[in-house]
Amino acid sequence: MRKIGGKESAIAVAIDIRDRESIRKALREAIAAFGGLDIIVNTAAIFPSSSDGKITDDQWGVTLDINVTANHRLMQEAAAILKLQDLNASVVLVSSANAIVPKHGSEAYDVSKAAVNHLVREFAISLAPRIRVNGISPATVVKGSTMFPRDRVIASLKKYNIAFDEAATDDALRSTLAEFYARRTLTHQPIEPADCAAAILFLAGPQARCTSGHLIPVDGGLTEAFLR
């Protein structure tokens, strides 16, 4: 970002969204650097997994804490500042197509993202009219995702009986899986980080000034996720 906008255009601050003081510190540093808050985007989430496919109570709790409750903490802390500013601002949370498309073995993640969907609507109401709150719902993003380490990619390829070379690079294996997911959509296009970023930028910016409380699908045309 500094290469694009100059060295003063960006800072990096460590943040643990499970901890309110960490959130407050990060927000204070952003305000100190840039003078205030205009846009907040949260993409942090986890997908729990295990070798036997069973999720423990602890894993369930951590997933809901990071994927849902942490969003609530972040929104509460940011809202206090945004209301004091009394300026137009926008928030974009990242949900998932899984929020409305149930799948075997991903109950914790799917339920957490369904809760994020409703959290978007709740905060859109409570923070109106100055602050718009929206979200995006991507289908599976394999490219560049830390949720897809090599072992999970291989497990998914085996699950769907997709042929692959054990010696292939991580990127090659991810591409094979991404192409499989893409074939299940209407556009046959793998969902990439840039696709999600474009939707986030639209919702966060002035082009979407009349949109709040909604989620934009970024799923390549996943018929199972059509609005009903």
Side-chain angles (χ1 to χ4, degrees):
M1 289 184 67
R2 286 173 172 169
K3 288 180 181 178
I4 296 170
K7 63 181 181 179
E8 293 86 12
S9 67
I11 62 169
V13 180
I15 181 171
D16 177 0
I17 59 170
R18 298 180 68 188
D19 179 74
R20 284 188 182 272
E21 184 51 42
S22 178
I23 293 170
R24 293 183 190 117
K25 180 177 181 293
L27 293 174
R28 286 196 299 267
E29 292 196 36
I31 293 167
F34 302 110
L37 297 177
D38 299 293
I39 298 167
I40 294 175
V41 178
N42 184 33
T43 65
I46 62 168
F47 187 104
S49 62
S50 65
S51 57
D52 61 5
K54 296 179 181 179
I55 302 301
T56 66
D57 288 347
D58 285 344
Q59 285 179 300
W60 177 277
V62 170
T63 302
L64 272 291
D65 190 23
I66 293 175
N67 294 8
V68 185
T69 309
N71 268 302
H72 188 265
R73 291 189 195 101
L74 175 64
M75 290 296 298
Q76 281 189 323
E77 296 299 328
I81 295 168
L82 294 171
K83 287 180 177 179
L84 282 174
Q85 290 181 162
D86 196 28
L87 299 170
N88 292 336
S90 60
V91 177
V92 183
L93 303 181
V94 176
S95 183
S96 168
N98 284 36
I100 57 175
V101 182
K103 294 181 180 178
H104 177 70
S106 59
E107 293 88 350
Y109 181 80
D110 297 358
V111 168
S112 74
K113 290 301 186 178
V116 170
N117 280 14
H118 204 61
L119 201 61
V120 165
R121 295 184 279 265
E122 296 284 358
F123 274 108
I125 291 171
S126 64
L127 300 181
R130 284 289 201 180
I131 304 160
R132 296 184 299 106
V133 183
N134 293 288
I136 66 167
S137 294
T140 305
V141 180
V142 180
K143 181 179 179 180
S145 174
T146 56
M147 288 188 181
F148 278 91
R150 185 181 183 90
D151 57 347
R152 185 185 171 196
V153 174
I154 290 175
S156 295
L157 292 171
K158 290 179 178 178
K159 173 183 175 181
Y160 296 116
N161 295 316
I162 302 169
F164 67 95
D165 181 357
E166 292 278 1
T169 65
D170 291 355
D171 285 342
L173 292 174
R174 288 192 181 101
S175 293
T176 299
L177 183 60
E179 288 166 6
F180 167 77
Y181 286 137
R183 288 195 297 273
R184 302 191 300 184
T185 71
L186 297 177
T187 63
H188 293 178
Q189 297 293 325
I191 312 303
E192 299 192 352
D195 300 309
C196 297
I200 289 169
L201 285 172
F202 169 74
L203 288 172
Q207 294 89 347
R209 68 185 185 88
C210 293
T211 302
S212 190
H214 289 280
L215 292 104
I216 290 182
V218 187
D219 57 19
L222 189 63
T223 56
E224 295 94 330
F226 278 0
L227 295 177
R228 296 170 178 84

